[in-house]
Amino acid sequence: MTPAFLPFAQPEIGEEEIAEVVDTLKSGWVTTGPKARRFEQDFAAFLGDKSGDDSRSETLHCVAVNSATAGLHLALEALGIGPGDEVITTTHTFTATAEVVRYLGADVKLVDIDPVTLNIDPAAVEAAITPRTRALMPVHYAGLAADMPAMLDIARRHGLKVVEDAAHALPTTCGGALVGTLGSDATVFSFYANKTITTGEGGMLVTRDAALAQRARTMRLHGMNRDAFDRFTAKVPSWYYEVVAPGFKYNLTDIAAALGIHQLKKAQAFQQRRAAIAAMYDAALADLPLVLPPGPAAGDQHAWHLYVLRLADDAGVERDRFIERLFDAGIGCSVHYIPLHLHPYWRERYALQPAMFPHSQHAYERMLSLPIYTRMSDPDVQRVAQAVRAALR
Ligand SMILES: *Cc1c(COP(=O)(O)O)cnc(C)c1O
């Protein structure tokens, strides 16, 4: 009997999430309302903000949105990125990181990765800076923190903004501090179905900049601003708002936030299970012709959104054939990512060639992502490891 197909990713939704969604449905308030607000407050508390006071400069402002893509767009919009500007990011990411720059009419400068961590290479960032550069967008690839001390230092020296794509990085630490608290201008998390916690679709923009948070709150809902009324009278009638800009429709529903409230409570436990799976893979695959993913720096935490293997040059099998063998053995896997420089849009718009990104290209040709998610059992993990071993023979 062949065992059931093991999917590449699956969310873990518990009875608490289901009960909270049912409660939301019965409450009569299904779109953005009290649960989205509670999710924002819980998120700030999770990241360590104990103040609960929006007026304090150290306060973490959390703005719930309907995707990380929306959050990244809002962050860059609030920072004033526009035509004529350049934003530097890694070629080794999902297209969402870069597309939001184009939404605003600015240009993307893609750079190569560090060959060990697969994170954006600070030296490549520094070399790509021009007089038009306005912002840097590091991605915490796979859930391993990018070199944020270096990125923040470059930004400070060149007067640049920093927006972190933390779609993989809940919870990740860098120098002992959680991603989201590292001192960039904004950090954006994703709650897409396969991320470390999920609301189906959703995201969170986190910033210490009160003005940025205010702009993002306005722009996530049609550019509508109720605070504008305050200059006329202290009491704003419930029906009154002013449109101050052509905003977007990026608000998170209370149905989605209901999931997020309970997923967030489990985020540390989920991370521990993912880290345990990564450790099992590390032990089971150590003797094979593979490059195993790098662990976190001493004392730091890796979110382990992805477990990315690379075939060694003497592996004796091509990556595509290797993935076919795993699928034949009933194991779902994937590739993260087809680098942006290989996609027609990015390649043609910026005349990109693989030789410009040797480390990303080298890694891409040899890489695949194994299943890593909390619902996998220990036997599931051993089954994947055995299938990897067999596929190398
Ligand atoms: C998933 C992902 C996004 C987009 O997240 P959404 O919530 O689906 O918009 C952005 N960047 C990276 C690196 C991602 O993996």
Side-chain angles (χ1 to χ4, degrees), residues 67-69 93-94 96-97 139 165 167-168 190 192 195 202 337:
S67 71
T69 309
T93 187
F94 185 55
T97 318
V139 178
D165 179 338
H168 301 179
S190 174
Y192 179 67
K195 297 291 163 45
Y337 290 93

Side-chain angles (χ1 to χ4, degrees), residues 331-351:
I331 311 291
C333 40
S334 192
V335 173
H336 296 90
Y337 290 93
I338 304 164
L340 297 186
H341 65 259
L342 294 179
H343 289 287
Y345 173 74
W346 298 110
R347 186 183 67 219
E348 287 162 21
R349 174 156 181 99
Y350 295 115

Side-chain angles (χ1 to χ4, degrees), residues 38-373:
R38 192 170 127 209
F39 185 36
E40 290 175 339
Q41 288 163 347
D42 289 356
F43 208 86
F46 178 88
L47 292 178
D49 181 68
K50 309 268 187 316
S51 71
D53 174 358
D54 271 6
S55 66
R56 280 174 40 175
S57 63
E58 65 271 34
T59 298
L60 286 167
H61 305 273
C62 294
V63 181
V65 286
N66 59 12
S67 71
T69 309
L72 292 167
H73 184 198
L74 290 175
L76 294 182
E77 197 277 340
L79 290 170
I81 305 298
D85 296 336
E86 284 174 357
V87 176
I88 299 175
T89 192
T90 165
T91 189
H92 213 93
T93 187
F94 185 55
T95 193
T97 318
E99 76 191 25
V100 296
V101 176
R102 298 292 304 130
Y103 291 0
L104 294 161
D107 279 306
V108 179
K109 266 283 193 70
L110 296 175
V111 301
D112 205 1
I113 51 174
D114 178 285
V116 174
T117 65
L118 310 184
N119 268 319
I120 192 166
D121 175 8
V125 170
E126 189 116 35
I129 292 171
T130 76
R132 290 171 57 197
T133 306
R134 290 282 313 282
L136 312 178
M137 295 177 82
V139 178
H140 304 290
Y141 177 78
L144 177 67
D147 186 348
M148 288 306 294
M151 297 297 288
L152 292 168
D153 178 59
I154 293 168
R156 193 173 337 103
R157 282 189 283 108
H158 294 271
L160 308 175
K161 304 294 185 186
V162 179
V163 175
E164 292 167 73
D165 179 338
H168 301 179
L170 186 74
T172 291
T173 67
C174 180
L178 280 168
V179 167
T181 68
L182 302 179
S184 59
D185 294 277
T187 305
V188 180
F189 296 90
S190 174
F191 313 129
Y192 179 67
N194 68 5
K195 297 291 163 45
T196 55
I197 73 167
T198 187
T199 61
E201 301 279 357
M204 192 71 78
L205 184 165
V206 179
T207 181
R208 283 199 171 84
D209 180 338
L212 193 159
Q214 179 55 46
R215 176 71 179 178
R217 284 186 195 285
T218 301
M219 294 305 280
R220 85 175 155 180
L221 197 65
H222 304 297
M224 286 156 54
N225 189 347
R226 277 173 49 78
D227 299 347
F229 195 85
D230 289 352
R231 61 179 185 266
F232 303 115
T233 172
K235 194 173 177 307
V236 189
S238 60
W239 51 267
Y240 192 81
Y241 60 85
E242 290 181 357
V243 172
V244 297
F248 309 105
K249 188 69 201 292
Y250 283 167
N251 55 303
L252 187 74
T253 69
D254 267 23
I255 299 173
L259 290 166
I261 286 165
H262 293 279
Q263 288 275 294
L264 184 63
K265 289 187 185 152
K266 303 173 185 178
Q268 288 295 359
F270 282 175
Q271 188 279 339
Q272 281 170 24
R273 178 63 190 154
R274 285 175 178 272
I277 293 169
M280 278 188 264
Y281 279 147
D282 285 350
L285 305 176
D287 62 321
L288 297 173
L290 298 168
V291 178
L292 301 182
D300 268 326
Q301 182 168 294
H302 189 315
W304 291 110
H305 166 55
L306 300 174
Y307 188 91
V308 178
L309 283 182
R310 280 173 281 169
L311 296 174
D313 288 333
D314 61 351
V317 56
E318 302 265 289
R319 187 270 313 275
D320 295 3
R321 180 80 193 101
F322 185 78
I323 291 180
E324 268 172 34
R325 288 178 185 172
L326 289 179
F327 269 90
D328 289 346
I331 311 291
C333 40
S334 192
V335 173
H336 296 90
Y337 290 93
I338 304 164
L340 297 186
H341 65 259
L342 294 179
H343 289 287
Y345 173 74
W346 298 110
R347 186 183 67 219
E348 287 162 21
R349 174 156 181 99
Y350 295 115
L352 304 175
Q353 286 158 19
M356 298 167 157
F357 310 94
H359 298 311
S360 171
Q361 185 67 27
H362 185 274
Y364 164 65
E365 288 169 3
R366 291 157 180 80
M367 69 170 24
L368 72 154
S369 304
L370 295 182
I372 183 166
Y373 49 96

